Amino acid sequence: MRYVLMLAWFLGSGADAVVKAEGLAGEVAAVAGKASLPNAKVGVLDALPQVVTTDLDPFQQVDQVTVALVDAISQYRGGYPANERVFFAQITAILEPHVDFSYMATNVMGPYGKKANAQQRRGFNEAFQLGLIETYGRGLMSFNNEKIVVVNRQPLKEAQRKIVVKQEIHGADKVYPLSYTVRRKKTGRWMITNVVINGINLGKTLRNQFIQSAKKNAGDIDVVIANWSSASA
């Protein structure tokens, strides 16, 4: 499917069809929001792992997000897929403070982003994030305790605004390179804005898919947005 490249983040294999977005977005947002509150005590949320902090440099952020995701996999694997919705909510809570989904979605829309109105941009942002979280979440369940290491840790230069954080995923018989483009926002927070997986640029690949879909539908952005979460690559 459209987001199958995301599965390679943790050596994921094939994924099922994406769950329909209707009704899920609100549930995920509500659970994720509660999960990010200190000492949340809301039923199943008692079991949610602690969400990582954002006052970190890019290398520390990637390290802590990786640890938080591996912890979430360990906690939810036994009850999966029955607990899939709350698992997706936790993945959202972990990634949302560190991944600039809005920036990525705008980049994926390419030249059509300037043609889109505010409602269309907002609609695609939501579809993009939801589809990414669902497929990424399913891919995480394929993780099998591979060794994951940052390989280019270095001091940041003064006033530096962008850096590439490189990881290696050591499988049984192969090493998979993974790199995150991380940018400093005006608020000072570092956010992930793109991923290159084993030489495949996720942002460029999805952008080409969006443009091709728009051309196929005579430039009708609404059709592209409506089909984005459930379309097959």
Side-chain angles (χ1 to χ4, degrees):
M1 57 183 52
R2 186 180 304 279
Y3 297 101
V4 71
L5 292 174
M6 296 301 294
L7 306 188
W9 279 25
F10 281 87
L11 310 184
S13 56
D16 297 330
V18 176
V19 175
K20 293 296 183 181
E22 182 177 1
L24 180 59
E27 181 175 347
V28 170
V31 176
K34 293 172 183 175
S36 64
L37 294 175
N39 303 318
K41 299 293 182 181
V42 188
V44 71
L45 296 181
D46 294 349
L48 290 176
Q50 182 178 359
V51 179
V52 295
T53 59
T54 57
D55 187 21
L56 302 168
D57 71 34
F59 299 98
Q60 293 171 324
Q61 280 194 328
V62 170
D63 281 340
Q64 288 207 12
V65 168
T66 300
V67 170
L69 289 172
V70 171
D71 285 348
I73 295 166
S74 176
Q75 180 158 2
Y76 290 99
R77 192 192 297 277
Y80 191 83
N83 59 4
E84 187 174 71
R85 288 178 180 268
V86 71
F87 176 59
F88 287 164
Q90 179 59 19
I91 297 304
T92 300
I94 292 170
L95 294 181
E96 207 164 43
H98 305 283
V99 178
D100 196 339
F101 289 104
S102 179
Y103 180 100
M104 294 176 71
T106 299
N107 181 62
V108 166
M109 293 184 81
Y112 293 93
K114 295 181 179 180
K115 300 177 183 178
N117 58 41
Q119 182 177 354
Q120 290 171 323
R121 288 192 294 270
R122 184 169 57 251
F124 183 66
N125 285 349
E126 294 172 355
F128 177 84
Q129 179 171 339
L130 183 60
L132 213 56
I133 290 294
E134 288 179 343
T135 304
Y136 182 39
R138 293 190 179 98
L140 286 172
M141 283 301 172
S142 297
F143 177 67
N144 192 30
N145 295 318
E146 287 83 6
K147 181 180 179 181
I148 306 172
V149 293
V150 172
V151 296
N152 71 324
R153 200 178 304 273
Q154 59 190 268
L156 299 176
K157 298 178 181 178
E158 187 176 354
Q160 187 167 351
R161 310 295 301 180
K162 175 183 174 182
I163 194 167
V164 175
V165 177
K166 297 181 180 181
Q167 281 187 329
E168 289 181 349
I169 304 173
H170 292 251
D173 55 3
K174 187 176 181 180
V175 176
Y176 296 81
L178 169 64
S179 65
Y180 301 89
T181 299
V182 191
R183 288 181 169 85
R184 190 197 295 268
K185 298 176 69 70
K186 292 181 179 179
T187 60
R189 178 183 297 181
W190 289 94
M191 301 283 283
I192 295 168
T193 58
N194 193 28
V195 184
V196 176
I197 307 162
N198 206 23
I200 300 174
N201 189 308
L202 181 70
K204 289 183 178 179
T205 300
L206 296 181
R207 177 173 175 155
N208 288 338
Q209 291 180 353
F210 187 100
I211 292 173
Q212 291 172 6
S213 181
K215 289 180 178 178
K216 180 180 178 180
N217 290 283
D220 192 331
I221 299 175
D222 290 323
V223 173
V224 179
I225 295 171
N227 293 331
W228 187 261
S229 290
S230 57
S232 297

